[in-house]
Amino acid sequence: MDLASSALRLAGALQTADLFDAIAGRALDGSAPLPVRLAALDGLSYFPSTQARDTLASMVASKATLDLRSHAALALARHHRQAALDSIRELMPEMQDGTAARAFWQQALSLSGVSGELAKALEAKALDEKTAGFHLTVVPVIDGDAVLVAVLR
């Protein structure tokens, strides 16, 4: 991990308000290296502010790579759970690569409560059959995630 990435994550973890704009700027900077942008998204995840939520949500809605957008969706989960759930649901139809989707789900399901909350959200507004079927093949089947797997079926 390089120094810039570490600094962005640390500034976020310490919720250094004076650096919020700099962290957000690096996250949104299309010319910044991918590891720096991912670190900036991680840094933003520590801020409970509406501004942080809006910045992360704008990344999810952007034309950035799916990798960046899905990372932003997961970053929302720390303080903005509903926005994260909405973002994950929005991104699910775009996920086509099994390896990348498995990695996404491993990260997503490591966040406390996401599996059950997402299952409820998907029960309320079901995915199309093709999307649900794809994710059924990549969501790890762990006892705590059985409700999510059942909803995908």
Side-chain angles (χ1 to χ4, degrees):
M1 186 180 319
D2 68 9
L3 185 59
S5 297
S6 297
L8 288 163
R9 284 189 176 95
L10 180 60
L14 295 174
Q15 294 182 22
T16 310
D18 292 346
L19 295 177
F20 179 86
D21 289 338
I23 298 168
R26 293 304 277 174
L28 300 173
D29 180 1
S31 66
L34 180 63
V36 170
R37 293 184 79 187
L38 294 172
L41 292 171
D42 289 341
L44 289 174
S45 76
Y46 289 97
F47 289 90
S49 67
T50 302
Q51 187 179 13
R53 182 200 63 211
D54 293 348
T55 302
L56 290 166
S58 74
M59 175 59 76
V60 173
S62 76
K63 294 183 192 263
T65 65
L66 183 57
D67 185 40
L68 278 167
R69 294 167 57 225
S70 61
H71 201 85
L74 294 176
L76 281 163
R78 186 181 306 273
H79 288 293
H80 308 285
R81 190 56 64 100
Q82 189 58 51
L85 296 172
D86 294 343
S87 295
I88 290 168
R89 192 191 182 296
E90 178 183 320
L91 293 174
M92 286 176 74
E94 295 181 45
M95 295 180 189
Q96 303 294 319
D97 177 82
T99 302
R102 274 186 207 83
F104 171 82
W105 284 114
Q106 287 175 340
Q107 288 180 298
L109 298 178
S110 70
L111 302 169
S112 179
V114 165
S115 179
E117 292 172 30
L118 187 57
K120 287 179 187 174
L122 294 176
E123 283 177 336
K125 187 175 178 188
L127 293 167
D128 64 85
E129 191 174 312
K130 179 181 175 189
T131 300
F134 171 75
H135 287 280
L136 185 59
T137 67
V138 296
V139 170
V141 181
I142 301 169
D143 288 344
D145 303 317
V147 173
L148 177 60
V149 171
V151 169
L152 292 172
R153 287 191 175 131

